[in-house]
Amino acid sequence: MDKKIEVRDLHISFRTQNGALRAIRGVDFAVEKGETLAIVGESGSGKSVTAKAILGILAGNSIVESGEIIYDGMDLLKLTENEFNELRGNRISMVYQDPLSSLDPIMKIGKQMTEASLVNGKANRKRSKKLFSAKRKVLETAMKAAGIGNGEAEQLGKELTERIGQAGNYRVSYARAKEYLEGAEYSCGQLNVALKKQDAQQIKEQTGFLKDRLKKAANPFLLPKDGSLEKLAEGLPDTLPKLREQIEELLKREEPDFLAYACKEHGGDPEKWRDTIAKALAYNNQVYGAKRQEAAEVIRKNLPLFEKERLDVKACQNAVNAMSKAAEAGIDPLPVTKSAAACTFSTTMRHSMERYAHGIPGNEKELRREKRDTEKYKRDLKRKGDAPKVVPAMLVDLELTRKTMLRAMNDLLAEYSGGQVFTAQELEAEALRLLAWLGEQGDAMANEVSKEYAHDKAIRIMEEVGISEPEKRFEQYPFEFSGGMRQRIVIAIAVAANPDLLICDEPTTALDVTIQSQILELINSLKRKRSLTVIFITHDLGVVANMADRVAVMYAGKLVEYGTVDEVFYEPAHPYTWALLSSMPDLETSGRLEAIPGTPPNLIYPPKGDAFAARNKYALAVDFEKEPPRFALSETHWAATWLLHPKAPKVEMPEIVSERIRRMKKQEEALKNGQK
């Protein structure tokens, strides 16, 4: 599977009057495309800080000590605000805990929904046109270098551009028609309800909506050419059952191959394009493979400079410039599939080196200031009996910064040493990916969003998220909605731009249990329908039991356990995970739930060993002295606890947890047998 987003060794601190609060302390995880990752932990564990780092909306007093967040070949931590604006709310969306704070109280819901579609639609077309033109230029250059004649290469580039543009027009027209047909299916349901209630006004209104949507759904690739659907619409409401049946059948059909159709109508051979592109990729792979090996040599040569405990700043700065230049020269601009290690190498090295260089004099200055303030504190305390506290020194962690650079160098060295030579099958697969990518840009260029379409799309999405009477709701203000309905509106706005990554930051916390269930099912439904990748943040393990693929348990800025949802629920290994499961209410637990004793540690002064040790009744002596490593329980499951060490005493999980696991397994088995 493809990694949609990857977080590597993330360290984030916040400047406070009492010193640096180390909120995130070495978090790393990856989310595969189409998966749901649940990040679970108490308030203050660092869940929301991680989410905000992904979106680039950290507070002004935040300090990213080290790490990368890799999305689509980019390190999100190194993007400018303008670059982030192209991603936020467009390709990456977020649903917040409090829906009211996410909405403008003096702007109608409809305007808030359509505004994003109109702005993003224009920006996406402009961006895709720029990306397509740049990739076509690179492709033509590669084809010419690979031995394809100048005229043939230019002709193929022109032909490819025209056919992909035509296919994009066909596909966008079809997709919009299908959206209207889905809306017509919803109107069929509403009309059926109105008929049962014998509500004359609703019957008239829903019949009008249905006919209007069928009219807008008219597309030669979607609706029957004999006009049978239109004839059924004229016979409403008597023809409703037959009309609804036909609409459902039409929506089940597979989407036509629009590129093949464009070639059939206007000329062109996709197989020839694929073979020619593969030839250009093969040539570029040889050329850039040699450059990658050269870059590996430059890195290998400079590696000893960064292995010293104290770096020679001048020598290392020169080395960073040389390595970055060599690494960038080894990045082939033609393939769609990019190496995250290569694409983020230069920004990681330059940013870390700058931080290290400024940190040395900055640390010395801070230490002098702390010493001076401490002496003054002692004098004032002796003379006055009271004095303001000394703010601890805000130091750059030089060792952490050095290790960040070392890790980036070793990762790229391992990747570049072999030159990354691709097989014929890999080149063919990459050619298909490139064609698909060009097709996506063609679709985006053809997707011009009008005010009428933005309005209709908003109504359709409001229906999709379960908001009744969307036309009426479109004209209302946020205060006229209940909490659950406001959260549905926020989700509707989040998915309106068709993002591929959706972050949900405790979206059900402020809602009652019944509405929570509806919102969770809605998110699940949208994920399946829109092929979303989801990061779901919550403090309640029970919330994610039926919706997560993987679970990351977080405590005091660190991940303490990670695994598939079944592994974390049925085979929990960390005492903190046991504690979360013990405190999780359900309908069948007759005994008293176990509260987690104590409070999380003060991360201005992080604990020496296991951060959970002071609250852990199973803690060993070593937990207070040394931080536990990650112990693998399977290929997909690990936990950071000394209880998993081979020499540790055997400790059974609490009876309340083991009983709950037995009950869950029994219920799952009964459900499976019932389905059979």
Side-chain angles (χ1 to χ4, degrees), residues 596-614:
I596 306 175
T599 58
N602 182 350
L603 292 182
I604 293 177
Y605 307 101
K608 184 178 179 182
D610 184 351
F612 189 58

Side-chain angles (χ1 to χ4, degrees), residues 378-399:
K378 290 177 181 178
R379 288 196 304 269
D380 290 348
L381 195 63
K382 189 175 181 180
R383 190 173 72 248
K384 302 177 183 177
D386 189 22
K389 290 182 179 179
V390 176
V391 176
M394 301 272 193
L395 305 179
V396 172
D397 191 329
L398 299 176
E399 181 60 12

Side-chain angles (χ1 to χ4, degrees), residues 107-116 474 476:
M107 184 185 291
K108 290 180 179 180
I109 288 296
K111 185 170 177 58
Q112 294 189 57
M113 292 191 67
T114 57
E115 192 174 54
F474 189 87
Q476 291 181 331

Side-chain angles (χ1 to χ4, degrees), residues 176-321:
R176 290 188 177 181
K178 192 171 182 180
E179 285 180 15
Y180 283 115
L181 194 61
E182 287 171 347
E185 181 186 33
Y186 175 83
S187 294
C188 283
Q190 294 299 103
L191 178 55
N192 190 46
V193 171
L195 287 168
K196 287 180 180 178
K197 291 181 178 179
Q198 296 184 341
D199 187 330
Q201 184 178 348
Q202 275 295 306
I203 291 170
K204 182 180 179 182
E205 189 175 291
Q206 291 302 328
T207 301
F209 287 158
L210 180 48
K211 287 182 177 180
D212 180 61
R213 285 172 165 177
L214 286 175
K215 184 179 179 182
K216 289 177 178 177
N219 181 282
F221 296 102
L222 185 63
L223 299 191
K225 295 179 182 178
D226 60 5
S228 57
L229 217 61
E230 290 86 344
K231 290 173 186 174
L232 286 171
E234 290 303 318
L236 287 170
D238 297 335
T239 55
L240 179 62
K242 184 65 177 175
L243 177 63
R244 192 175 188 178
E245 183 183 332
Q246 281 207 23
I247 289 173
E248 288 172 355
E249 286 299 317
L250 290 169
L251 289 172
K252 290 176 186 175
R253 290 183 181 178
E254 287 188 12
E255 181 180 299
D257 186 338
F258 292 109
L259 185 59
Y261 180 81
C263 290
K264 181 182 176 183
E265 291 293 305
H266 306 283
D269 184 357
E271 287 192 14
K272 181 184 176 184
W273 297 343
R274 183 197 63 201
D275 294 341
T276 308
I277 290 171
K279 188 176 179 180
L281 283 164
Y283 175 83
N284 267 26
N285 188 50
Q286 281 189 326
V287 172
Y288 285 92
K291 292 181 179 181
R292 288 190 282 268
Q293 288 179 332
E294 290 172 10
E297 285 302 315
V298 175
I299 294 171
R300 195 175 289 110
K301 177 184 173 183
N302 287 290
L303 196 60
L305 288 173
F306 295 83
E307 291 175 335
K308 298 175 181 177
E309 285 189 15
R310 185 66 179 259
L311 302 185
D312 180 331
V313 171
K314 182 106 174 143
C316 287
Q317 283 175 330
N318 291 334
V320 165
N321 291 334

Side-chain angles (χ1 to χ4, degrees), residues 4-8 68-75 340 344:
K4 176 53 64 176
I5 190 162
E6 185 178 7
V7 177
R8 298 177 179 172
E68 296 97 39
I69 301 176
I70 311 301
Y71 170 81
D72 198 20
M74 301 176 284
D75 183 355
T344 61

Side-chain angles (χ1 to χ4, degrees), residues 89-137:
N90 187 7
R91 296 165 67 189
I92 304 175
S93 286
M94 189 163 179
V95 179
Y96 295 91
Q97 181 175 339
D98 179 11
L100 196 57
S101 66
S102 305
L103 299 168
D104 189 330
I106 60 172
M107 184 185 291
K108 290 180 179 180
I109 288 296
K111 185 170 177 58
Q112 294 189 57
M113 292 191 67
T114 57
E115 192 174 54
S117 294
L118 291 167
V119 172
N120 286 335
K122 188 175 181 180
N124 286 345
R125 290 182 71 213
K126 186 177 179 180
R127 176 178 174 273
S128 292
K129 186 175 182 180
K130 183 179 178 181
L131 289 171
F132 188 98
S133 298
K135 189 67 76 175
R136 174 186 165 175
K137 187 176 180 181

